[in-house]
Amino acid sequence: HVAQIEAANHSYHTLDAPEISDADYDALKRRLAALEARFPDLARADSPTTKIGAAVAEGFAKVAHEIRMLSLENAFLDADVADFDGRMRSYLGLGPEVALPCTAEPKIDGLSLSLRYENGLLVQAATRGDGALGENVTENARTIADIPQHLTGAPAVLEVRGEVYMSHADFAALNARQAERGEKSFANPRNAAAGSLRQLDARITASRPLKFFAYSWGVLSEPLSDTQFGAIERLKALGFQTNPLTRLCADTAEMLAQYRAIEAQRATLGYDIDGVVYKLNDLALQARLGFRATTPRWAIAHKFPAELAWTRLEKIEIQVGRTGALSPVARLAPVTVGGVVVSNATLHNEDYIAGLSSKGEVIRDGKDIREGDWVQVYRAGDVIPKVADVDLLRRDPASQPFVFPHLCPECGSEALREEGDAVRRCTGGLICPAQAVEKLKHFVSRAAFDIEGLGAKQ
Ligand code: JCF
């Protein structure tokens, strides 16, 4: 009865897909209560009869991590990685003749999660929180396809740790869906993943495209392996997704080579990473090295350089959108930003070019943006690159401030800016070829035909 009721609870509350009728559910629960009244010694402490309705909607219960969830020390330079190797050697009293192989894997930009399995069954999922105390998100984690609900051949107690993340494609589709429904969109895939996992209603989490990579472990009733690489392979064999770019490297040179290889693939991976994690492969040596306050001595995160670059702004062009909005775009001398060649960046609107925010506040210390300027380009994850700063020392003294057009560059109609609107708009309507084409494109797009979007849209 207990198992049947729990299964019914799960399909009803978590999956939003009831498998038995309400009447059958109530009958089951009454029969269980009657049995418990007759044989109180057999009643389970966690019986569904002791619980009231759905989970309480008052934040998440806290979970104490038996083994703290760690963060990683950062490295930025190749020399920092060589130092990491040197520090481990001196701590262990090992000379340069001994090899210290390490694993190298992409550092996923998501949020960490600890999954506890007992006798192969997923019994708890907890966020990292402050490392010592996390949030109980078990029901939400059960809705993630990459997270197995049961394992075969696993240690009796196994805590698997890893990263919950969202792919670029899923993030873009989610944001489009959110916009269509008039709901808030997310700034980046990391925020979208965190917001989706930390939902009090697991049915919302279930509707979000979350993924999971396993890369570590907490409490274990027996070791997974005697090496880091072996442990990851074991997690993979148990049914977890592990990052396919994980490699075992013989020395610092191979670690740096894998760093370059991962960096080169960064833009085409389809999900955000912010560096490469190296871990000493030998788990006995890991144990000897131990921890500082919050970070292990046997691991380090080699971060990618900031996604900023300087280049010349060759031209400012104005694009006209479906609604007639005039959007300024910077045409740039091509430059690599975070592993991607960028030759266009958004300038947002007229005020942004002039050095004002959409609320009229001074930005960039009031520096305006001009054609011919040297500009700093900023790119974060999937977001459209933007011009973040201007180098006044390299500005041509003969240059002039950009004059934002008051006529539509496509049809010549007047372009007006309404009081309180950051955007200037072409008044040409369907006379304007740009608006006509963009409207037609929108009309034939899936978004415009999405029945669910009707009413919410326009
Ligand atoms: O991908 C990550 N964000 C990531 C984080 C990968 C790892 O191997 C980690 C981590 C945080 C802590 N390992 C530890 C020990």
Side-chain angles (χ1 to χ4, degrees):
H1 281 79
V2 171
Q4 269 177 295
I5 292 171
E6 277 174 351
N9 274 342
H10 177 64
S11 50
Y12 182 86
H13 291 297
T14 307
L15 305 178
D16 199 21
E19 283 173 2
I20 63 172
S21 72
D22 290 357
D24 287 348
Y25 178 82
D26 288 337
L28 257 176
K29 233 176 154 173
R30 275 198 308 275
R31 280 214 316 262
L32 179 63
L35 280 167
E36 286 175 348
R38 232 177 116 199
F39 308 107
D41 289 347
L42 295 180
R44 285 167 46 160
D46 64 348
S47 166
T49 57
T50 64
K51 292 173 199 150
I52 332 125
V56 278
E58 270 189 2
F60 296 100
K62 295 285 180 283
V63 174
H65 295 295
E66 231 173 282
I67 297 181
R68 277 179 62 92
M69 286 185 82
L70 305 166
S71 49
L72 297 169
E73 190 184 284
N74 288 328
F76 296 95
L77 307 171
D78 289 5
D80 298 336
V81 181
D83 284 351
F84 166 64
D85 178 83
R87 265 182 287 138
M88 289 196 296
R89 267 170 214 291
S90 65
Y91 199 99
L92 295 167
L94 298 174
E97 71 288 350
V98 200
L100 279 187
C102 289
T103 58
E105 62 180 299
K107 182 165 192 290
I108 313 300
D109 200 2
L111 65 151
S112 8
L113 187 67
S114 187
L115 307 170
R116 187 180 171 97
Y117 292 84
E118 288 174 5
N119 301 316
L121 292 182
L122 176 63
V123 293
Q124 188 173 77
T127 62
R128 180 174 176 280
D130 64 2
L133 211 59
E135 286 173 323
N136 188 331
V137 291
T138 311
E139 289 312 304
N140 302 20
R142 288 191 199 284
T143 71
I144 300 176
D146 283 349
I147 296 181
Q149 300 257 11
H150 36 82
L151 306 173
T152 325
V157 179
L158 167 63
E159 283 181 10
V160 175
R161 292 174 177 181
E163 203 83 354
V164 173
Y165 68 101
M166 196 179 285
S167 76
H168 290 159
D170 286 339
F171 165 70
L174 172 62
N175 262 357
R177 196 176 82 192
Q178 291 287 103
E180 258 168 49
R181 297 179 177 180
E183 285 171 42
K184 86 170 177 115
S185 58
F186 296 98
N188 54 54
R190 208 207 89 84
N191 284 357
S196 300
L197 183 67
R198 298 185 65 261
Q199 287 286 338
L200 290 172
D201 183 347
R203 288 170 298 183
I204 300 180
T205 306
S207 75
R208 301 286 174 80
L210 294 173
K211 294 195 152 95
F212 180 80
F213 276 130
Y215 54 64
S216 186
W217 56 90
V219 177
L220 292 172
S221 56
E222 57 187 275
L224 289 171
S225 169
D226 52 10
T227 63
Q228 179 72 33
F229 197 76
I232 300 304
E233 284 191 319
R234 183 82 198 284
L235 292 177
K236 188 173 172 190
L238 285 170
F240 291 94
Q241 299 297 317
T242 60
N243 196 288
L245 294 176
T246 308
R247 295 284 181 276
L248 180 57
C249 302
D251 53 26
T252 306
E254 284 191 22
M255 287 150 68
L256 294 176
Q258 183 59 9
Y259 175 86
R260 306 269 173 254
I262 292 173
E263 192 179 28
Q265 291 180 67
R266 185 180 187 188
T268 51
L269 286 179
Y271 50 85
D272 281 350
I273 61 172
D274 57 1
V276 173
V277 178
Y278 307 121
K279 289 181 179 172
L280 184 60
N281 192 42
D282 186 324
L283 297 185
L285 294 183
Q286 279 192 12
R288 272 174 65 191
L289 285 164
F291 310 89
R292 303 174 208 87
T294 59
T295 58
R297 287 194 188 86
W298 40 264
I300 201 161
H302 190 183
K303 299 307 241 353
F304 293 131
E307 297 177 279
L308 291 170
W310 288 88
T311 190
R312 220 173 91 92
L313 193 172
E314 292 175 335
K315 195 162 176 36
I316 297 177
E317 283 179 11
I318 307 292
Q319 290 178 347
V320 183
R322 170 170 59 91
T323 60
L326 270 51
S327 305
V329 177
R331 303 291 177 208
L332 307 165
V335 64
T336 312
V337 193
V340 175
V341 178
V342 169
S343 48
N344 303 304
T346 177
L347 292 166
H348 301 292
N349 55 50
E350 194 166 352
D351 284 349
Y352 189 82
I353 296 176
L356 294 173
S357 78
S358 50
K359 297 190 189 82
E361 298 144 349
V362 170
I363 52 170
R364 290 190 307 273
D365 302 324
K367 289 181 267 185
D368 68 325
I369 297 170
R370 303 181 184 183
E371 291 185 330
D373 272 348
W374 280 84
V375 294
Q376 188 187 53
V377 182
Y378 169 87
R379 177 186 165 272
D382 210 20
V383 185
I384 303 169
K386 64 180 188 180
V387 169
D389 202 2
V390 178
D391 187 350
L392 293 184
L393 296 174
R394 283 164 111 179
R395 172 174 281 175
D396 177 356
S399 74
Q400 293 296 315
F402 180 73
V403 180
F404 205 91
H406 286 207
L407 296 179
C408 173
E410 296 286 338
C411 72
S413 304
E414 214 175 350
L416 293 178
R417 210 177 139 179
E418 308 253 312
E419 182 75 40
D421 192 355
V423 179
R424 188 172 288 279
R425 291 173 206 278
C426 166
T427 56
L430 287 178
I431 300 297
C432 177
Q435 285 187 64
V437 167
E438 293 307 317
K439 275 212 166 71
L440 179 65
K441 274 201 230 162
H442 177 70
F443 182 66
V444 298
S445 74
R446 260 173 54 90
F449 275 111
D450 186 349
I451 305 296
E452 276 181 21
L454 278 183
K457 219 151 172 178
Q458 267 130 22

